[in-house]
Amino acid sequence: MTTSKRLQLRQRRHARVRKTVVGTPQRPRLAVFRSNRHISAQVIDDLNGRTVAAASTVEAGLRGGATATRDAASSVGRLVAERARAAGVERVVFDRGGFLYHGRVAAVAEAARQAGLEL
């Protein structure tokens, strides 16, 4: 399977997920993006079109060491949850972005739950 076909299939899955998952000011969307080298997460209020909180392994604080592991994904989940709680967000809806809820994507969600966000 070619890279473009794999991307096309993921985008189709993501569109299917986004039909039902919408971030509101009361319950924004926790969107996860996973690449081969990094992982990022954002808490997004779709109605107002703004990002409430974000974290990524590209940041200087998380860049040291391996960035494509479950441990790095857990760090991103904890950090985005702390930043969201600081912004006054307690509850979010989880948007897996067309990726399987497995491995690094699941690690972000579990770490965010442990850090106090309600998914």
Side-chain angles (χ1 to χ4, degrees):
M1 183 178 303
T2 63
T3 305
S4 61
K5 179 67 173 175
R6 188 174 296 122
L7 176 64
Q8 184 181 27
L9 291 173
R10 186 190 73 80
Q11 288 172 340
R12 188 179 300 168
R13 285 190 305 270
H14 191 182
R16 207 165 45 232
V17 169
R18 285 300 313 280
K19 278 192 231 176
T20 58
V21 176
V22 178
T24 63
Q26 295 80 25
R27 191 164 185 170
R29 174 171 57 99
L30 175 59
V32 175
F33 177 76
R34 174 183 60 84
S35 72
N36 286 338
R37 290 187 182 185
H38 295 284
I39 190 156
S40 63
Q42 298 182 62
V43 177
I44 304 167
D45 172 8
D46 289 318
L47 297 183
N48 295 323
R50 62 184 282 263
T51 298
V52 178
S56 174
T57 54
V58 179
E59 295 177 16
L62 297 175
R63 200 176 317 145
T67 56
T69 62
R70 284 181 57 101
D71 293 335
S74 295
S75 299
V76 168
R78 272 192 303 276
L79 188 58
V80 76
E82 290 169 6
R83 291 176 179 173
R85 288 178 55 102
V89 174
E90 298 291 327
R91 301 176 68 206
V92 296
V93 291
F94 189 72
D95 176 11
R96 61 189 174 88
F99 301 103
L100 291 177
Y101 186 83
H102 178 77
R104 291 187 284 156
V105 175
V108 170
E110 292 167 8
R113 277 191 198 99
Q114 290 174 354
L117 278 186
E118 183 182 332
L119 271 77

